[in-house]
Amino acid sequence: MPTMTIRSQIPTEPSPAVAAPSAVPAQSTPEPAPAFQEEEHDRDHQGQGKGKDKYDDHDGDTPKFPHPKLRLEIRDLDHPGTVKFLGAVNASTLLSDAVKNVQRLLYRSAADKHTTCPPTRSVTVILRDMGGVAYTTGTDLDPDHKEIHFSLSYIASHIPSTPPARLPAELTGVLTHELVHCYQWDAHGTAPGGLTEGIADWVRLNCDLSPPHWKREVKIDDPWDKGYQHTAYFLQYLEESFGEGTVRRINEGLRSTREYEATGFWVRLLGKEVEELWGEYCGSVRDDDGKGTA
């Protein structure tokens, strides 16, 4: 079975001395890394999300976020998912742009004194045959080095139901979600999983990478931290209600919180308990449903 590792490196700047966010537990033991062969890709990319990091275009005196070393490792070149992936996107451009979008949305700029971007030094995307869709974990080297495992089986099986024009956005959306896990804070592993997953999909939502089936909806007895797009739309409501940068403040709060405690966390940040905020959001969704604008 042919294998290849494609390595794309962006020079890194010195990272600040900041503790890294807790790694997401691995779902399975990674296979041994194969020997790699260098390869360059010059395909144009499309549908890879909006939001070029405007701070990258400033002069040399403007602080910039450190960019991680980026690697793509392919465990099976003959897999149909590999063919689909490499035919749809320029992996180097996709990952570089997605990192900038994550940093911009969660931390705004390197000059912002109110947020602290973690010192993630490298991200390796591993395309391999596995169950599920994707997951992110730290490496054995240290938690500043991250691995994103992306299922070739999912890519291959999901493609028939995805219009070709949407495929780049779908792949970019999944990887953008996982890259958030490389850069977000989680109250030292004590934050609700639904909140961290919701923040990841909130970033995806704000990069115009949401799939067509996503919609703002609530059901009776749905918890606020159901996660993924459900919590992402709630976070977007908070962003619109309390002002731009609210989700950024929530993420920063998860950095400074040693142990997450719901009442204190939300009252301190937004002046209300999360259940009250959730109730207000549900009411706004139902009001919009009644007007036919959900």
Side-chain angles (χ1 to χ4, degrees), residues 50-249:
K50 69 175 182 181
K52 187 177 186 295
D53 191 339
K54 60 186 178 182
Y55 297 97
D56 275 5
D57 291 333
H58 284 193
D59 58 51
D61 294 331
T62 302
K64 294 181 175 65
F65 290 117
H67 285 285
K69 182 183 296 184
L70 300 172
R71 300 185 181 95
L72 174 64
E73 181 180 313
I74 300 174
R75 296 282 175 88
D76 184 356
L77 280 173
D78 292 334
H79 198 288
T82 300
V83 177
K84 295 292 186 182
F85 183 90
L86 294 179
V89 296
N90 179 319
S92 178
T93 303
L94 182 164
L95 293 172
S96 181
D97 288 350
V99 166
K100 293 175 185 178
N101 283 335
V102 170
Q103 292 172 329
R104 172 179 57 84
L105 286 165
L106 290 184
Y107 303 101
R108 195 173 73 83
S109 82
D112 191 335
K113 297 180 180 179
H114 301 291
T115 59
T116 306
C117 185
T120 299
R121 291 193 284 165
S122 74
V123 178
T124 301
V125 175
I126 300 173
L127 301 181
R128 66 185 184 89
D129 196 358
M130 67 179 198
V133 179
Y135 70 88
T136 298
T137 184
T139 68
D140 292 336
L141 181 60
D142 68 51
D144 291 347
H145 298 273
K146 307 294 185 182
E147 288 182 353
I148 297 173
H149 293 246
F150 196 178
S151 170
L152 287 172
S153 301
Y154 172 81
I155 296 171
S157 63
H158 192 72
I159 299 317
S161 61
T162 302
R166 254 208 56 79
L167 179 55
E170 175 64 20
L171 296 172
T172 305
V174 172
L175 288 171
T176 297
H177 174 106
E178 295 302 326
L179 280 166
V180 173
H181 294 323
C182 299
Y183 280 95
Q184 70 184 154
W185 299 104
D186 65 356
H188 301 272
T190 67
L195 176 55
T196 56
E197 295 294 347
I199 290 174
D201 267 358
W202 177 83
V203 170
R204 181 175 179 176
L205 181 67
N206 280 271
C207 288
D208 283 350
L209 293 169
S210 56
H213 68 273
W214 282 17
K215 60 180 179 178
R216 201 169 66 108
E217 62 179 354
V218 291
K219 298 178 181 178
I220 297 175
D221 297 329
D222 268 354
W224 71 268
D225 57 350
K226 186 176 180 179
Y228 299 101
Q229 73 266 26
H230 306 285
T231 301
Y233 281 111
F234 172 50
L235 293 172
Q236 183 62 22
Y237 166 81
L238 297 179
E239 183 84 359
E240 294 168 358
S241 298
F242 291 90
E244 190 273 337
T246 297
V247 176
R248 203 174 292 137
R249 289 170 54 206

